[in-house]
Amino acid sequence: MITRTRAATLGLLVPAVMALGMSADTSFRFLGAVLAITNPAERGALCGTAEAAVIALALYAWAAGARSAAWLAYAVVLVQTVPAFEVSGGYGGAVRTALGPVLLAVLLHLLLGLELKVSGTYQSGLVAAVLREARERLTAYLGIGRRGADSAAIARSRAADHAVVLADRVAATKVGTYRYARRTARLADAIDRARHGLDASGAQAAEAAIVARVVRRKSVAGLAVIEDRHDWSAVYRDAPAPDRYEDRDVPVRVPVPDRSTADMIRALISQGVIKPPEISRRLLADGVSVEPGYVRRIVRQVNGTP
């Protein structure tokens, strides 16, 4: 019975034998025309020296895993270009080189690679690692996630990063505009893709991680207006001790104030603190992070300005 593996092997073996014949014919003609070896038996015995070396080195590289043998095989293929150009000239030499030693080396590589896959042995070289990484990144970029848990996790991570960026863009967009609606829809889609394929607890943790990252990004702006040293232990008093293996995106519990943020802003304004940067600094000192645009909006409402 002919299996797909045997059919693929046979399909590669036939052109490999033909490429071997093309390369041997080039060597046979070169030995007679350039090296002046005119005896037919002698020419026939020596014309396959380079081809036999390519096959032997390729087999040894496959069996022993020696990269040096593979590079030596490619070096022999490079040397074989000289007889090809000597026998057929410019364009003919290029054709003889491509259809002879180069094609033979490529088909041998494919044959040995097929044997590696059938035997269950995977390549661990630099090229194989680069190709696997490129495949994972491509499937993650396309959002496919069907080639294993790695690409699915990368796809969710990219979606989470995109959601954090979109949150900043939505915050900077005027409410009620077409751009605001479009960015809001894209943000919701990114959050859905960051939760895709997870169970209920995993999806909730992924969404909480996105929210925590958005809060951190909004809190960074308030760090620039801090003038006095602040004791952050009061803010994270109720948070558990950090775990060295804990994911960096896991949110940390922050005490929720009894009053709303808008009431706290109005209270500061009634105390004479009217500048939005000063209000943001005072709120951040109390462990409350608020968007600067929201502070300015409350200040305009209290002052009665549009």
Side-chain angles (χ1 to χ4, degrees):
M1 180 179 179
I2 298 179
T3 62
R4 277 194 280 182
T5 302
R6 292 179 180 177
T9 304
L10 183 62
L12 292 174
L13 187 59
V14 171
V17 173
M18 297 175 68
L20 175 62
M22 173 67 77
S23 182
D25 178 76
T26 302
S27 299
F28 186 82
R29 295 174 183 270
F30 179 78
L31 290 176
V34 179
L35 300 184
I37 301 178
T38 57
N39 187 282
E42 187 179 2
R43 290 171 65 185
L46 297 177
C47 70
T49 302
E51 291 73 17
V54 171
I55 296 175
L57 289 172
L59 289 174
Y60 180 78
W62 167 69
R67 298 180 185 179
S68 58
W71 287 113
L72 285 176
Y74 296 142
V76 174
V77 171
L78 182 62
V79 171
Q80 281 293 91
T81 60
V82 176
F85 281 99
E86 284 289 337
V87 171
S88 300
Y91 293 106
V95 173
R96 278 187 174 272
T97 301
L99 298 182
V102 173
L103 184 60
L104 174 62
V106 171
L107 292 176
L108 283 175
H109 177 79
L110 293 177
L111 280 169
L112 298 179
L114 181 62
E115 288 295 329
L116 286 176
K117 292 181 180 180
V118 171
S119 63
T121 305
Y122 295 94
Q123 295 179 351
S124 58
L126 177 61
V127 176
V130 170
L131 292 177
R132 285 195 299 268
E133 182 68 17
R135 183 190 64 184
E136 293 294 338
R137 290 184 178 273
L138 178 61
T139 54
Y141 179 79
L142 297 177
I144 300 175
R146 295 184 303 178
R147 294 187 180 271
D150 292 338
S151 58
I154 295 176
R156 287 193 294 266
S157 178
R158 291 178 61 92
D161 294 340
H162 190 50
V164 174
V165 174
L166 285 175
D168 288 342
R169 295 179 181 177
V170 170
T173 307
K174 185 177 180 181
V175 180
T177 60
Y178 172 74
R179 180 176 294 180
Y180 180 84
R182 184 180 61 183
R183 288 181 174 178
T184 303
R186 291 175 60 190
L187 175 60
D189 179 68
I191 294 177
D192 290 339
R193 285 187 284 110
R195 296 160 46 100
H196 180 71
L198 298 175
D199 54 11
S201 60
Q204 185 177 3
E207 186 172 346
I210 294 175
V211 174
R213 292 176 61 183
V214 172
V215 171
R216 283 201 301 270
R217 288 171 69 101
K218 293 182 181 300
S219 303
V220 170
L223 295 176
V225 297
I226 295 179
E227 297 179 356
D228 301 329
R229 181 174 179 179
H230 179 67
D231 185 11
W232 293 100
S233 61
V235 179
Y236 299 102
R237 183 186 302 113
D238 297 333
D243 186 1
R244 57 178 299 187
Y245 298 105
E246 187 177 6
D247 188 82
R248 61 181 180 90
D249 290 334
V250 175
V252 181
R253 292 186 298 149
V254 178
V256 179
D258 297 332
R259 296 178 297 172
S260 65
T261 305
D263 293 338
M264 298 178 68
I265 296 174
R266 294 188 182 95
L268 291 174
I269 295 175
S270 64
Q271 297 173 9
V273 183
I274 58 175
K275 295 183 178 180
E278 178 66 21
I279 295 175
S280 298
R281 184 170 69 250
R282 296 282 293 273
L283 292 175
L284 191 62
D286 294 332
V288 178
S289 175
V290 61
E291 183 181 356
Y294 181 77
V295 176
R296 291 193 295 268
R297 185 162 61 249
I298 299 299
V299 172
R300 288 196 298 267
Q301 291 177 359
V302 174
N303 295 333
T305 57

